[in-house]
Amino acid sequence: MAESNEDGSVETFRDTYAAIDRVYDMYARSCGVSPTEFWCLAAVADNGLTSQAEVADHLGASRQTVNSAFKQLCSRGLVVLEPEPDNGRVKRARLTGDGDAFVERHLVALDEAEKAVWEALPAADRTMLNRVMGRYLAALAPSLASLNR
């Protein structure tokens, strides 16, 4: 993995983005869960999202993928799914004691590691990265949306 990618090509951007994604995937797997399961736990713990539909929308994943992840999380005893009182078809996810311990051990550690790495970057680089990525996202989303019209 290259440490410096200063050629300005879209290929280098894609390679770097994919490498970052792989780092997160490897971390999730090292915690004993799939990447989807990991991010489902994060969505429940960090964002207060509890329905599988909310989590799927948040992750940009299919409901089927999220449903499979929640089944695995339930079988591992990290999450329980309970019917919503007003609509029994909707299941709400709740972390179990083991789920809380998993979050504390793995998600909190990830958050602290990310913050430490982020803070080690010069302030100007952090600001520039956020600004450029925001501009890239603002331009990319409508561009890709127009492709299927």
Side-chain angles (χ1 to χ4, degrees):
M1 188 176 342
E3 187 172 314
S4 176
N5 299 315
E6 303 203 10
D7 71 5
S9 71
V10 71
E11 292 81 13
T12 297
F13 173 78
R14 288 177 190 147
D15 290 347
T16 303
Y17 189 89
I20 291 169
D21 200 36
R22 284 191 303 277
V23 168
Y24 281 105
D25 285 356
M26 288 186 316
Y27 179 71
R29 292 183 197 292
S30 76
C31 298
V33 296
S34 74
T36 303
E37 292 164 19
F38 187 88
W39 296 117
C40 284
L41 284 168
V44 172
D46 295 342
N47 300 319
L49 304 177
T50 58
S51 80
Q52 293 178 62
E54 289 171 334
V55 173
D57 289 344
H58 176 73
L59 297 180
S62 73
R63 290 183 184 196
Q64 181 179 359
T65 297
V66 168
N67 180 271
S68 295
F70 273 107
K71 283 183 182 178
Q72 288 297 313
L73 293 170
C74 287
S75 72
R76 290 187 170 116
L78 300 174
V79 168
V80 293
L81 294 175
E82 302 167 331
E84 186 174 88
D86 296 338
N87 182 354
R89 292 183 50 206
V90 175
K91 304 285 189 256
R92 294 282 173 193
R94 182 177 51 79
L95 296 175
T96 63
D98 286 346
D100 285 329
F102 181 96
V103 166
E104 187 63 33
R105 180 170 180 207
H106 301 293
L107 288 161
V108 172
L110 173 62
D111 185 57
E112 291 170 357
E114 286 175 322
K115 285 178 182 175
V117 169
W118 186 255
E119 292 298 321
L121 295 172
D125 288 356
R126 295 189 310 257
T127 300
M128 180 180 60
L129 184 57
N130 281 336
R131 185 181 72 244
V132 171
M133 290 298 290
R135 287 188 356 222
Y136 182 77
L137 176 60
L140 182 64
S143 179
L144 293 184
S146 71
L147 293 179
N148 291 325
R149 289 187 188 155

